[in-house]
Structures are given as C-alpha cells and as structure tokens.
Amino acid sequence: MSIQGQSYINGQWVVPTGGKFSSWNPVTDSAIAEVSSCTREDVETAANAAAAAMPVLRAKSTDDIAKLLNTIADEIEALGSELIETGMAETGLPEARLIGERGRTCGQIRAFANLVADGSYLQASIDLAQPDRQPLPKPDIRACFQPLGPIAVFGASNFPFAFGCLGGDTAAALAAGNAVIAKGHPSHPQTSSLFAKATATAIEKCDFPTATFSLLQGSGHELGTALVEHEAIKAVGFTGSLGGGRALMDIAAKRATPIPVYAEMGSVNPVFVMPDALDNNLDDIAAGLAGSIVMGTGQFCTSPGLVVTLKSELAEKTAAHLSEQPQGVMLNPGIASALNSGIQERLGNSKVELLTGGLAKETPLKPCNSLMKVSAETFLSDDELLEELFGPVSLVVECDSVTQMQAVAKHIQGNLTATIHTQAFDDDAVKSLLAALSATTGRVLFNGYPTGVEVCPSMVHGGPYPASSSATATSVGTAAINRFVSRVAYQNCPDNLLPAALQNANPLGIWRLVDGEFSQTTV
Ligand code: NAP
C-alpha cells in the first residue's frame, strides 16, 4: 500500500475527507501530488486516542522509552534513499544537505534516548522527613518530572527532517514519555508520511500504544486551530512564522484550560563588527558573512539578517562576495513570494540603499542574494526595518560611533542569536554590548557566524519574544525536554507508590538531590 501523503492516526493510515492541497517541487516549479487535509473529526480521534494512551505511556520505564527512540532512529535510517529523494523533490534542498540533516535528526533522537536512560533529566529530589524537628515536624517530600502530554507539534518548513514531524520537538516530547500528535508542514507531506511510517514500525516493534504518535496532514489554519483548541492537548511545540506562532499562542491562552505554546519564530540575528575587527579582519568577515547569509538560501532561523558596524568598506566588500555566491531555490511558493514582497517593500524606502541583488528576475522561487545598507539614524526611527526577511538577504546598519552601535543593540528586539566580532575583550564598550545583548538574546557568539546550531546540552535555541514565546526554553539540545514535563511532589507517600525515580532503593541508579546534596545512593 502506498502511504504517500496520507495521515496516520492511532495506528491507521487515513485518507482524510478535508480539502485538497498539493506539495510543490520548487526546482521544477510544478505540483507533485494531491493530498487531503484532516478535519476536526480527525483531530478528535487522534487527540482522544493520545489521551487514552497516556496512562500506558506513564507506566513505561525509562529503558522502554530509550529503546523506542533508538528504534525510531534505526527505522528512519532504514528508509534509505527514498527519504532523501522525497525530501529533495518537496523542498528543493540538495542531497548533501538532506543527508546531513538525516544524520542530525537521528543523532538528536539518540541523544534523547541516552538522556532518558541516564535519568538525570527527571531532576529527582528528596527531602527526608524530620519527625523531631521543632517547632513542627518536617514531612518527607520528594519530587521529579513526569510526562505532561499529549503534545501537539507543528513541523517546520525549513528543516523538513530535523524540525519536521519527527524532529527535535517530537523527539523531546516522546522522550519525556508523551504521546505526540504532529501536524505535518503542508510543504512536504510525502516526507512527513515516510517519517510516520518509520515511527509506526518502531512503535509496533517496541510494543507501545498505537496512539503514541499520530500525523495529521493539512493545509489551512483550521486544522492547526482545532488541534491547539482540543482540551486533551497539554502543550504545543512550533517552529515557523511570528504570525503563525502568535496566533497559536492566542488560541491556547483562550482555551478553558490554557496551555503553553513553545513557539520558535522570527529572528534577525544581528552581527556586531567592532572597530578593531574592521581594522584587522575586514576581508575575512566580509567573506564569512556572505557565506552565512546564503547558507540554506537564507532559510535558517539563525540567518544573519542584520550587520551593525561603523561606516567602512564592510558593506561593499560583503556585497561583492555575495554577488559571487550561487543562487539558491526557495522551499515553496508561499515563502518565496513573502520574501519578494518584503524586498519590494524595503526597496520602496528611499533611505535604504541596495548594494547587490534585489527583486528576483525570473521567479520568486529563485531569489537574488541581496544586501542593503541604511544609516543607524534611519534604522532607529523605522521599526519596519526590524522585520525578518526570510531568505538570502541582509541589511547593514552603518553607525557613526560605538555609542550609536550600543543604541542599535538596545533598539533590536528578542533574537535567537547575536554575534560580536572583536578581540578587544577588555574594552568597556564590548562588555556593555555583551550585557545589552545577553538581555535580549538566546545565544551570544564571538567571532563566528550564527548559522549552524550545535545539538548539545548547553545549546539555547530560543530567546525573548518575538524570537520565541518563552525565554526560559530551548527547542534545540537535550534541555528541550523540559518543555514537555510536569513536576509532581509527593508528601509522606508510601515507598511502593512512588515513581521509581523517587523510591528509597533508587532502582534507576540515578543521581538525586537528597537533602540538598547530589548522590546515587539509597535513602
Ligand atoms: P508558518 O506559516 O508559520 O506555518 C507553520 C505551520 O503552522 C504550518 O503547519 C501552518 O499550516 C501552521 N499555521 C500557520 N499559521 C497558523 C494559524 N494562524 N493557525 C493555525 N495554524 C497555522 O511558517 P512557514 O510556512 O514555515 O513559513 C512562512 C514564513 O514563516 C516564512 O516566510 C518565514 O518568514 C517564517 N519562518 C520562520 C522560521 C524561523 O525559524 N524563524 C522558520 C520557518 C518559517 P497552515 O498554513 O496550513 O495553517
């Protein structure tokens, strides 16, 4: 049976009865195949089944969950070249990029398996009773993290594997012991079906409930709205536009029982090039910036959309490098036309100077690599220049002084990343720039470029609004699991009724905070 583009709900492949849409090959600019959207009834079926599966999932051991995750990663690899070829057709991304992205996807799923097996993510903490304490006895109180779900995940368009329906959000939610309902991105439904197929096989092999994972395909906001409105859903993971993320946050807040939406949204990722870096390293920085701006045809959430520096040759030299970079292809017609309109609007501003590129020549699907320049004075007085243009485009803000660069830093809103190029680490100007950026940014980096996000425990891929909906969370790295757990405390609870993580004998053998000190011993 061909499952291409189908939805997968509670163990069944389904051709839903909602409206039809087509995925699009952006390279050939032609439709691939017609796909049917899920309806509110499909959301009802998937959400109720996921809720019914939660008690079974809560009873699974950390070893069971680690095995499921490792098996999912194995099954994704077993899809072989079909996954790569399907992804290439639906996104226009090149083979090497998708092979690399598959490695990252399986790597992050296995990293969550290791995290779960290790058990430290449970943050088990035990405060033993002190019956003789005066003036009142102290009760025995123990707490650890537990599954929160079911969780709804919105797959991203720009990372069809690593942030698709089996990407980081789903891996984190499954690792925490939750059922997941993923809304596949309408731009790559066949790719999503293949991931669901791999997951379905792993679920069967590991004897997990069929509703551990469901995939709802669809185009149009009704499906996503119905999913977030459903009372069985307890949290949401999202990567995409500011408009989409904000709409889902508002829907979640208006529910009878509001839930958190962890949305990773817009970011302009400013790069500050300090005077000493202009003096000593201008050519290298110009070449590095150009490479970073065109990476993934600029369709990375960490793409450097803003360069802040003193008046210098940096803008012109970066433009020269950029004009030599090959032209890429956008992911889909919607993202391509949004970029084209954004460039058109920006070029309509007489105070913005175009240095290279501009509007797409043949089709918006093949954009020009573009660089524009503006004075800091104009930038500080025009909030439209703060908006993200999603594509191979950047804006250089030229300042009269380092003091003006600081003013620009304070004017910029929440970002996923900010970069400082300098070696003057003892300068007060660098210290105060770092202080300002740390208050508005998820990740501050020195002497590098923001594209390329390492998957590791210390990574923060998030930041204050509008970069994300919660500055306390990350969507990349193993700390992403913390979004999808609840913390429960047990007071004077009999040992046999406690979760394994909190029992006296420490059957999981994990590190626990016992009376304020970390230990792996029994209590
Ligand atoms: P998107 O339009 O935000 O869509 C993401 C997902 O959310 C899709 O499944 C979409 O499906 C759903 N959705 C969007 N708005 C919704 C709403 N109001 N209610 C319910 N569901 C909604 O993102 P995209 O399609 O990936 O790209 C569009 C733009 O987002 C880009 O041009 C770019 O500016 C930005 N973007 C930013 C990042 C980033 O990392 N910063 C990444 C990707 C995209 P439906 O449309 O079918 O409802």
Side-chain angles (χ1 to χ4, degrees):
M1 183 189 76
S2 164
I3 47 94
Q4 288 196 340
Q6 291 189 20
S7 292
Y8 179 76
I9 303 174
N10 189 20
Q12 303 290 320
W13 288 103
V14 177
V15 179
T17 56
K20 309 253 188 256
F21 66 100
S22 286
S23 58
W24 202 261
N25 184 323
V27 177
T28 58
D29 201 3
S30 58
I32 297 175
E34 204 171 61
V35 177
S36 305
S37 292
C38 286
T39 62
R40 259 182 195 271
E41 287 69 40
D42 296 315
V43 171
E44 190 72 19
T45 307
N48 290 339
M54 282 307 300
V56 185
L57 288 172
R58 284 174 188 276
K60 292 285 183 189
S61 70
T62 47
D63 283 349
D64 290 338
I65 294 171
K67 185 179 166 204
L68 175 70
L69 291 167
N70 282 324
T71 312
I72 291 172
D74 294 345
E75 291 298 326
I76 290 171
E77 284 170 352
L79 292 168
S81 58
E82 188 186 6
L83 179 66
I84 304 297
E85 283 155 17
T86 306
M88 287 168 69
E90 289 191 321
T91 64
L93 294 171
E95 183 179 24
R97 150 77 193 267
L98 286 178
I99 289 174
E101 198 177 321
R102 178 179 57 192
R104 174 178 165 178
T105 306
C106 294
Q108 65 197 12
I109 293 172
R110 291 188 175 114
F112 277 113
N114 291 340
L115 180 81
V116 170
D118 160 76
S120 53
Y121 84 96
L122 293 164
Q123 294 187 26
S125 128
I126 298 175
D127 291 291
L128 294 168
Q130 294 173 17
D132 300 331
R133 190 182 69 171
Q134 294 300 328
L136 288 172
K138 181 182 174 191
D140 180 292
I141 303 184
R142 307 177 182 209
C144 67
F145 283 138
Q146 301 194 12
L148 173 68
I151 307 297
V153 169
F154 285 70
S157 58
N158 57 338
F159 277 88
F161 296 179
F163 273 87
C165 67
L166 242 296
D169 285 344
T170 297
L174 290 176
N178 298 298
V180 171
I181 302 176
K183 180 192 179 288
H185 197 281
S187 170
H188 51 254
Q190 301 196 8
T191 306
S192 299
S193 295
L194 287 172
F195 278 108
K197 181 177 149 189
T199 311
T201 308
I203 284 172
E204 197 180 345
K205 280 188 179 174
C206 298
D207 196 23
F208 267 62
T210 48
T212 301
F213 176 81
S214 289
L215 167 68
L216 306 181
Q217 306 269 21
S219 178
H221 300 345
E222 203 188 332
L223 175 61
T225 303
L227 186 57
V228 177
E229 279 176 349
H230 200 287
E231 286 293 323
I233 299 298
K234 302 299 181 207
V236 179
F238 170 92
T239 301
S241 64
L242 177 58
R246 181 59 199 245
L248 298 179
M249 287 165 68
D250 291 345
I251 292 165
K254 283 190 193 134
R255 286 171 35 137
T257 49
I259 53 168
V261 173
Y262 292 103
E264 193 256 275
M265 303 174 288
S267 186
V268 291
N269 306 299
V271 177
F272 290 81
V273 185
M274 300 302 279
D276 69 297
L278 287 176
D279 289 344
N280 303 323
N281 213 10
L282 190 144
D283 286 330
D284 284 352
I285 294 172
L289 276 171
S292 186
I293 291 165
V294 299
M295 201 174 278
T297 317
Q299 300 164 110
F300 283 176
C301 26
T302 53
S303 193
L306 213 56
V307 180
V308 185
T309 191
L310 299 182
K311 286 187 180 123
S312 65
E313 289 183 323
L314 182 66
E316 282 69 20
K317 289 209 168 175
T318 306
H321 282 289
L322 209 48
S323 63
E324 288 164 8
Q325 295 283 339
Q327 204 176 20
V329 178
M330 298 298 280
L331 290 159
N332 63 48
I335 287 180
S337 70
L339 174 66
N340 220 37
S341 314
I343 294 177
Q344 196 160 28
E345 204 170 296
R346 202 156 275 185
L347 293 179
N349 183 337
S350 60
K351 292 182 175 161
V352 174
E353 183 184 345
L354 178 68
L355 300 176
T356 187
L359 287 172
K361 306 281 182 295
E362 308 156 35
T363 156
L365 281 166
K366 295 186 181 144
C368 298
N369 301 323
S370 301
L371 193 70
M372 299 174 211
K373 181 167 100 168
V374 74
S375 72
E377 198 183 4
T378 299
F379 182 78
L380 290 167
S381 63
D382 185 347
D383 283 353
E384 282 184 6
L385 297 173
L386 288 169
E387 279 169 26
E388 176 189 33
L389 292 185
F390 198 63
V393 182
S394 192
L395 177 68
V396 179
V397 179
E398 285 195 337
C399 303
D400 293 327
S401 63
V402 170
T403 309
Q404 202 172 36
M405 288 176 71
Q406 308 271 9
V408 169
K410 287 186 181 136
H411 179 66
I412 297 168
Q413 299 171 310
N415 271 290
L416 296 171
T417 74
T419 303
I420 305 175
H421 278 268
T422 187
Q423 295 295 328
F425 303 135
D426 289 327
D427 266 20
D428 285 345
V430 172
K431 288 176 186 167
S432 67
L433 182 60
L434 177 60
L437 295 176
S438 304
T440 55
T441 311
R443 174 169 58 111
V444 184
L445 55 146
F446 279 85
N447 297 317
Y449 303 93
T451 39
V453 183
E454 191 66 33
V455 181
C456 62
S458 308
M459 178 49 68
V460 174
H461 192 63
Y465 190 87
S468 87
S469 56
S470 166
T472 61
T474 175
S475 65
V476 175
T478 43
I481 198 171
N482 295 335
R483 299 170 301 164
F484 303 129
V485 288
S486 63
R487 190 152 181 85
V488 182
Y490 297 86
Q491 187 163 330
N492 293 336
C493 180
D495 192 57
N496 68 310
L497 297 182
L498 285 166
L502 301 178
Q503 288 173 1
N504 290 341
N506 193 11
L508 301 181
I510 60 177
W511 284 95
R512 309 188 292 187
L513 192 64
V514 180
D515 284 340
E517 294 205 0
F518 282 105
S519 93
Q520 270 182 302
T521 59
T522 59
V523 292

